[in-house]
Amino acid sequence: MDRRQFLKISSALAVIGSLPTITLAASPSPGFDYELIVAPANVRIAADGDTPAWCFNGHFPAPVIRAKQHQPVRIRVVNQLDEPTTIHWHGLRIPIEMDGVPFLSQPPIMPGETFDYEFTPPDAGTFWYHPHMNSVEQLGKGLVGAFIVDEAENPGFDADVVMGLKNWHIRDDGSFTALTTPRNAFRMGTPGRLMTVNGKTAPTYYIPAGGAIRARLANIDNTLTYDINSPQTDLTIVAIDGNPIAKPRPLDHHLMGPGMRLDLGFIAPNNAGETVTLYHKNKVLMTFQTIGEDKQRRELPRLPLNPIQAPDLDTAEVIRFAFEWDASINPIEKDGKVNYRFWTINRTPWDGMSADNIPAPLATLERGKSYIFELSNLTQYHHPIHLHGHTFTVLQSNKQTIEPFHTDTVLLGQNEVARIAFVADNPGRWMYHCHVIEHLKTGLMGYIEVV
C-alpha cells in the first residue's frame, strides 16, 4: 500500500487494523476458514529475476492466518508438491493430532492429498506455521507464514503490522544458492544472502501519526539470529514469542533466534512524514513512516496475559539436557551419501523416524506434573531450543539476568545454562529441538512424551 492509496481510503477506516496487510487465503473450501495450497511458484524477491520458490497459495509472503482466542479455526492443506509435507503450527498449544509432525502426530500429506487441521487456540499472540518434513528445503524455499491469534477482546491498537524476517539463499538473478553445506551445518548454519521483511528489502510501512502501533516480528529464517534494535528510545517490548510480558520494557536490543517472535508497541510520531526504523545490528530492516492527522494517543494498550498454568517449583522434578557436538564418524548410506550427524541431545543424535521406526523419547513426563528442565549449551554457537505443545517459563541463566517470562523457544548462547519450568499438561509425543534447521536435521532433535 503506497501513500496515495492510503490517503484515498484512510477516511473510510475508523479503526485501522493491519497496515499494510499480507494477502489472506482466498476462497476456502466450504466449512473451512482457510485453504493452503502447497506448490511451486515463481516469485520476485531478488531485483534481477524470479526465484523458483515453494509457496502457500502461489505467492510470498504466505497468507497471514488470523484466528480468535478460544474460537475454533479450520484449515485445509492441499499438497501439490512432488514430495510429502505437513504443517506445524509453531508455538500453539493444541492437540497432538494437529501438531503436524510426520509419523509422531500424523501421517505425511502425500502429493495430491489433503489434510484438515482443526483446533481452538487457547492463547492470543504472534505465532507462525511451516512444514516439518524436508525442512531445510521446504522452509528454505519459502514455505513459512505468520499465524496471528487475536485477543478475545480487541486491545485497541491503531495499527497492527505483521512482519516475517527471512534471509533468502538466492543470487541477484533469483536463482538459489546452497541451502546447506556440511561445513556450515557443523557450525552456525548456512547464511542466506538477501535479508528481507515480508519478501522485500528494507520496506517502508505507513502508519497513522500519533497512533498506538503494534509491530509483530517473526523470525521465519532457517539460520539467522536477528539482533533487533532501534535508535528511537520509546519502543516497548510488549510480548515475547506469542506471550505478553507482565512488565513491558523498553527495547534496547533483543536477540531473536530462528522460530522466535517479538511484539513491539510504540506511539507513532505526531507529525506526518516522520519515521521509526528497526535494525538488525547496524542494517536497516524496515521503516515506519507516519501519515494522516495526529491521533493523539498517549498510552499503549495493555495486553492480557495468556492462561498459562504456573508450575509448582517446590515439587518440580529436574531433568537435565546437554546440547553438544557429536564426535562420531558419520555413516554412509547405500546411495553413497553421507548421513551427517553433528549434534546431540544428551549424547544422542536424532537419526530420523518412519511409520515403523519411532525412536525412544528423551524423557517421559507425567501429565499434570511440574518439571524444571536444565538446558546446557556446551558449544560455541547459539541454539534456539523449541518445545512443541507447551509454553514454559524461563527462570534463570548463568549468562544473563532473567525476568521470568513465558515462551516456547529459548535462545541459548555459548556455554549458557538456563532453567525453564512448565506443567506437562498436554498429552502426546512432542518434538523438542534446536530451530536452526540445519542443526535439527543433523542430530539436534528428539521428543518428550507426556502420558
Side-chain angles (χ1 to χ4, degrees):
M1 182 182 295
D2 63 23
R3 184 174 184 274
R4 181 174 297 177
Q5 290 172 313
F6 183 92
L7 291 174
K8 184 177 180 180
I9 66 172
S10 60
S11 61
L13 297 177
V15 177
I16 299 173
S18 179
L19 295 174
T21 186
I22 301 174
T23 307
L24 298 179
S27 303
S29 300
F32 290 86
D33 300 290
Y34 295 92
E35 184 171 85
L36 296 175
I37 299 174
V38 186
N42 289 327
V43 297
R44 181 56 65 96
I45 304 294
D48 299 330
D50 288 344
T51 294
W54 292 353
C55 296
F56 295 107
N57 296 3
H59 55 79
F60 191 91
V64 169
I65 293 179
R66 294 198 86 109
K68 191 92 167 183
Q69 188 179 22
H70 307 313
Q71 294 186 14
V73 60
R74 300 192 72 205
I75 305 163
R76 169 161 286 179
V77 175
V78 182
N79 183 12
Q80 294 183 1
L81 297 176
D82 290 331
E83 65 182 56
T85 193
T86 62
I87 303 298
H88 167 58
W89 315 97
H90 182 114
L92 290 167
R93 298 187 297 141
I94 55 180
I96 186 64
E97 296 82 7
M98 298 289 105
D99 192 52
V101 175
F103 311 117
L104 207 61
S105 62
Q106 70 167 86
I109 310 171
M110 301 304 291
E113 291 184 348
T114 65
F115 190 91
D116 298 337
Y117 293 92
E118 182 175 4
F119 48 85
T120 300
D123 307 316
T126 305
F127 306 96
W128 67 295
Y129 62 97
H130 61 81
H132 230 288
M133 295 195 71
N134 189 14
S135 301
V136 169
E137 189 167 16
Q138 292 196 14
L139 277 69
K141 286 189 171 181
L143 290 173
V144 287
F147 193 114
I148 305 302
V149 181
D150 291 314
E151 288 78 10
E153 295 186 11
N154 188 340
F157 286 92
D158 296 297
D160 186 337
V161 187
V162 181
M163 296 170 287
L165 312 182
K166 178 175 171 59
N167 269 30
W168 285 81
H169 294 70
I170 55 178
R171 302 177 181 88
D172 293 343
D173 65 2
S175 61
F176 277 106
T177 59
L179 296 173
T180 181
T181 65
R183 177 182 176 85
N184 286 314
F186 183 72
R187 293 170 171 81
M188 192 55 245
T190 306
R193 296 181 68 247
L194 184 63
M195 187 169 65
T196 66
V197 177
N198 293 342
K200 304 294 183 183
T201 302
T204 296
Y205 296 136
Y206 296 95
I207 56 174
I213 312 302
R214 182 177 189 172
R216 304 176 187 256
L217 289 79
N219 185 349
I220 55 178
D221 193 70
N222 279 19
T223 305
L224 182 65
T225 293
Y226 287 87
D227 186 342
I228 304 299
N229 65 91
S230 175
Q232 276 85 3
T233 59
D234 54 353
L235 275 71
T236 301
I237 297 175
V238 296
I240 297 174
D241 297 333
N243 287 278
I245 58 177
K247 297 178 181 179
R249 62 178 185 267
L251 172 69
D252 177 14
H253 77 105
H254 185 86
L255 295 179
M256 292 176 61
M260 300 174 76
R261 292 88 63 210
L262 178 68
D263 284 25
L264 299 175
F266 63 97
I267 301 298
N270 301 108
N271 300 315
E274 295 187 80
T275 60
V276 174
T277 302
L278 294 180
Y279 290 81
H280 160 55
K281 296 183 178 178
N282 60 351
K283 295 182 179 180
V284 173
L285 271 178
M286 48 76 58
T287 299
F288 295 102
Q289 183 174 328
T290 56
I291 58 175
E293 296 183 0
D294 184 2
K295 285 190 169 290
Q296 299 184 350
R297 295 292 291 267
R298 296 294 179 261
E299 294 183 353
L300 287 174
R302 295 300 298 264
L303 296 175
L305 300 182
N306 282 326
I308 310 300
Q309 185 176 356
D312 185 344
L313 300 182
D314 293 330
T315 63
E317 179 182 347
V318 178
I319 303 177
R320 293 175 173 85
F321 295 94
F323 308 99
E324 54 190 330
W325 276 301
D326 182 6
S328 65
I329 297 175
N330 293 293
I332 298 178
E333 307 291 355
K334 293 181 180 180
D335 59 5
K337 294 182 179 179
V338 179
N339 184 12
Y340 291 108
R341 291 293 176 265
F342 296 138
W343 305 93
T344 67
I345 302 178
N346 288 351
R347 300 190 174 183
T348 301
W350 179 253
D351 199 34
M353 61 183 167
S354 65
D356 301 321
N357 179 29
I358 305 294
L362 291 167
T364 299
L365 311 183
E366 180 182 338
R367 184 179 182 183
K369 185 176 176 180
S370 295
Y371 292 87
I372 293 173
F373 283 7
E374 185 174 282
L375 312 178
S376 300
N377 175 13
L378 304 179
T379 80
Q380 69 187 78
Y381 299 106
H382 283 90
H383 295 294
I385 303 300
H386 173 52
L387 175 62
H388 289 209
H390 293 78
T391 294
F392 53 81
T393 304
V394 181
L395 300 175
Q396 61 188 54
S397 163
N398 68 330
K399 292 287 189 177
Q400 54 184 313
T401 301
I402 297 292
E403 181 76 27
F405 64 97
H406 298 316
T407 182
D408 53 74
T409 308
V410 61
L411 183 63
L412 300 178
Q414 178 182 358
N415 296 323
E416 185 171 6
V417 179
R419 282 197 160 203
I420 66 172
F422 66 101
V423 178
D425 56 3
N426 199 355
R429 299 179 295 188
W430 300 103
M431 293 307 301
Y432 175 46
H433 60 86
C434 175
H435 223 287
V436 175
I437 303 302
E438 290 164 272
H439 290 178
L440 73 87
K441 294 298 289 186
T442 55
L444 224 166
M445 183 159 68
Y447 72 93
I448 64 168
E449 186 168 22
V450 178
V451 296

